[in-house]
Amino acid sequence: GFTDHAALGNEEWNPWEAEERSELAASQQRYEAGLKVIKNARAHLEQTRLRVQIWGKAAIGLYFWQHVLGGHLEPADVTAQWREGSQRAGKTYFSFITGPSVVPGYFSVEAENIVLVLNGREKAKTAYATQWLHYAQTLIQTHKIQHVVVVLLGNEQCNNDWIQPYLKRNGGFVNLLFVTYDYALVNEEDIFQWPLGVATYRNFPVVEPSWSMLHDPRSYLCNFLGTVYKNSSRETLMEILSQDGLDKLCWIAAREQWQPQETNESFKNYQDALLQSDLTLCPVGINTECYRIYEACSYGSLPVIEDVMTPGDCGNSSMYHSAPLQLLKTMGAPFIFIKNWKELPAVLEKEKKMSLQEKIQRRKKLIEWYRNFKAWMRQKFINTLENSFLPSDKG
């Protein structure tokens, strides 16, 4: 009351005192909460016992980081000279760097475990990849790093002999190799098959399925946008489509020469074709596995795959006996596999009779499978690294 204030004499009465007191208590609580967060983060860091830096020097690195590991990159601009990101998964802390400015010796090496994403498609690419391997080898020899893992865009005919001497099993320093295509030396011990994924070099995005993608009727039974090579099964495919007027029911845009440069318009066209067709035709190129398979999955368009082996050194490994596309088949991919394009008219006939409801169910199943496939690859990669590089907890 009034007398209390009078008793204070000359001391100034502070009507906000109670508020200040509670503010002080609140700030004390915030401070303690902050300490708790730091403590938890520290405990979490102690659980995060593996630090891995990924050097992305091939376009498949973006599929690996953004699509499989679900990581982000800064800046978002795909043409940036330098892009980076980081994230925790399991007991592992991953950081990722990519871009033309990532050059041996001109960036800080921030982990003892390195994942090197390389392109081994052709001679010029392997020469460049070799420079990176030599740089990693120097870091191993000078004890700057401990372990090296390679994720390799393999040769389309599976001619990957050049990498063999670098593997630990052959006296080299590369602990683990994850390689695309049906490489016969895949053994699930130190050599693993890795999915080709989508064409990130053409900026194919991470696609989030929308309601309309799953539920809307699609205008075309099938699509094929691509190059028709002379004397290839793609010529057979074109003949079959034109014979029965099936090309009227499908979105077909064939060209005679491969074009690496995608324009915004041609890319938009391609995405629309995937989004507007129930099936995506996947004829064999140089290898049976192609970006189109994964891109079709992203949009819920079921891949129809020509299930034949391509010439070269690809084939069954000691682990898998279902080449081609061993990895996808082992994971139960719900695709349509055909041995010859002459089987296509029957497939399309069946397609015409399907109700929208059946197609919706199939789309959901395909998109769900693809999500699980990527999650499985992510988990497999992380487990393989942790089992290989973390000290065993036994005894």
Side-chain angles (χ1 to χ4, degrees):
F2 177 77
T3 50
D4 289 346
H5 299 145
L8 285 169
N10 295 335
E11 283 181 43
E12 203 162 315
W13 171 51
N14 180 357
W16 291 283
E17 191 177 2
E19 271 183 45
E20 280 175 1
R21 223 182 279 129
S22 65
E23 176 53 39
L24 199 68
S27 81
Q28 181 68 22
Q29 274 177 330
R30 280 202 296 274
Y31 171 70
E32 281 166 12
L35 270 184
K36 209 169 175 183
V37 167
I38 292 165
K39 227 174 177 173
N40 287 347
R42 201 166 281 154
H44 195 75
L45 263 176
E46 281 155 17
Q47 288 169 350
T48 310
R49 307 211 318 263
L50 199 64
R51 295 183 76 85
V52 176
Q53 192 178 28
I54 305 165
W55 305 343
K57 294 311 296 178
I60 59 163
L62 293 177
Y63 182 72
F64 171 74
W65 181 251
Q66 295 179 306
H67 296 245
V68 176
L69 284 183
H72 295 285
L73 285 177
E74 293 293 332
D77 175 14
V78 293
T79 60
Q81 289 291 302
W82 176 283
R83 303 175 76 202
E84 60 188 306
S86 63
Q87 69 157 325
R88 250 177 205 59
K91 295 173 184 161
T92 305
Y93 175 82
F94 287 103
S95 58
F96 181 93
I97 52 171
T98 189
S101 290
V102 179
V103 178
Y106 288 89
F107 60 89
S108 58
V109 177
E110 289 172 357
E112 292 184 327
N113 308 287
I114 299 301
V115 175
L116 196 41
V117 187
L118 298 173
N119 185 337
R121 225 174 216 180
E122 64 229 18
K123 276 241 163 21
K125 302 289 188 194
T126 57
Y128 182 61
T130 303
Q131 291 174 13
W132 275 95
L133 286 164
H134 289 165
Y135 174 58
Q137 188 170 23
T138 306
L139 293 175
I140 289 258
Q141 287 162 348
T142 52
H143 306 291
K144 302 270 195 316
I145 62 174
Q146 280 189 351
H147 302 117
V148 176
V149 176
V150 171
V151 176
L152 181 66
L153 173 61
N155 172 274
E156 284 175 279
Q157 293 175 326
C158 304
N159 177 9
N160 302 313
D161 291 347
W162 67 277
I163 191 99
Q164 285 297 324
Y166 296 99
L167 302 185
K168 202 144 204 179
R169 58 162 51 224
N170 301 324
F173 61 91
V174 172
N175 300 77
L176 304 167
L177 172 66
F178 291 82
V179 60
T180 59
Y181 303 119
D182 296 296
Y183 189 36
L185 295 183
V186 165
N187 57 19
E188 291 289 310
E189 288 165 23
D190 62 339
I191 304 177
F192 304 84
Q193 191 166 347
W194 191 253
L196 179 62
V198 301
T200 48
Y201 70 95
R202 287 179 169 166
N203 303 329
F204 194 91
V206 176
V207 179
E208 289 302 330
S210 62
W211 193 89
S212 63
M213 186 194 296
L214 289 170
H215 296 87
D216 285 357
R218 300 191 173 192
S219 316
Y220 300 91
L221 285 186
C222 71
N223 76 75
F224 174 67
L225 283 73
T227 314
V228 178
Y229 304 106
K230 284 269 170 266
N231 306 318
S232 72
S233 66
R234 296 182 177 201
E235 284 191 326
T236 316
L237 170 60
M238 288 300 130
E239 282 164 27
I240 286 164
L241 283 168
S242 60
Q243 269 168 21
D244 300 336
L246 295 170
D247 50 355
K248 304 279 183 290
L249 305 172
C250 294
W251 184 325
I252 306 297
R255 53 178 181 238
E256 284 176 21
Q257 264 186 323
W258 183 72
Q259 291 167 315
Q261 292 312 314
E262 189 86 63
T263 63
N264 284 345
E265 192 187 358
S266 68
F267 186 59
K268 172 93 174 65
N269 237 353
Y270 176 54
Q271 283 176 301
D272 286 347
L274 295 175
L275 198 50
Q276 289 301 323
S277 322
D278 286 303
L279 305 175
T280 291
L281 307 181
C282 302
V284 159
I286 300 172
N287 192 290
T288 312
E289 189 175 7
C290 61
Y291 298 115
R292 186 182 279 111
I293 295 170
Y294 300 90
E295 291 164 351
C297 289
S298 301
Y299 282 103
S301 181
L302 193 78
V304 180
I305 295 174
E306 185 180 2
D307 190 12
V308 296
M309 278 298 287
T310 35
D313 300 326
C314 304
N316 289 319
S317 66
S318 58
M319 293 305 297
Y320 299 120
H321 306 286
S322 54
L325 306 178
Q326 308 179 124
L327 182 63
L328 293 169
K329 287 176 183 168
T330 305
M331 290 301 296
F335 305 160
I336 296 173
F337 292 99
I338 60 179
K339 289 292 180 197
N340 190 305
W341 287 113
K342 288 177 181 154
E343 298 170 44
L344 183 63
V347 170
L348 294 180
E349 270 313 305
K350 195 173 164 195
E351 200 62 23
K352 286 180 197 168
K353 297 187 179 111
M354 273 181 86
S355 69
L356 177 60
Q357 207 43 49
E358 288 171 310
K359 288 179 178 178
I360 289 169
Q361 287 315 320
R362 185 176 66 187
R363 277 178 220 162
K364 285 181 178 171
K365 184 180 166 191
L366 175 63
I367 283 174
E368 183 66 12
W369 173 84
Y370 185 46
R371 186 190 292 130
N372 289 339
F373 171 75
K374 288 185 290 186
W376 186 82
M377 291 311 302
R378 174 181 191 268
Q379 211 40 57
K380 178 180 174 172
F381 187 84
I382 294 164
N383 290 351
T384 304
L385 262 61
E386 291 180 356
N387 293 340
S388 303
F389 303 148
L390 280 178
S392 164
D393 292 329
K394 295 178 195 129

